[in-house]
Amino acid sequence: MIDFVHEAKNLIGQKVRVITENGNYTGKLLAVGDDALVLQVRTNGRLRRLIIRIAEIIILFSLLGV
């Protein structure tokens, strides 16, 4: 069985897209914990950090080469 947290930690530092039950987010993955991840996103020209609960995530994928 694939462990989500372990696989997500392999993407730290990369540009990723996170699709959740409440919206889609694109940014740099900064950290992954046991129940949440931290994503750096740019909104209105400013860098912000989002904390997203892992329980809300439907898909997380790398945007390498994009």
Side-chain angles (χ1 to χ4, degrees):
M1 174 182 238
I2 296 175
D3 182 300
F4 179 87
V5 172
H6 174 75
E7 293 298 322
K9 285 182 179 181
N10 289 331
L11 299 176
I12 290 174
Q14 295 183 27
K15 186 173 182 182
V16 298
R17 176 155 301 146
V18 181
I19 299 173
T20 72
E21 298 171 352
N22 299 310
N24 303 332
Y25 307 96
T26 301
K28 182 178 180 181
L29 184 59
L30 298 179
V32 178
D34 290 334
D35 60 352
L37 56 79
V38 180
L39 189 67
Q40 182 181 56
V41 299
R42 185 173 298 276
T43 54
N44 298 325
R46 299 186 73 192
L47 289 176
R48 305 209 185 258
R49 290 183 179 196
L50 296 179
I51 300 171
I52 302 171
R53 289 180 44 221
I54 289 175
E56 295 180 6
I57 296 173
I58 299 169
I59 299 172
L60 166 68
F61 58 94
S62 173
L63 292 176
L64 284 177
V66 175

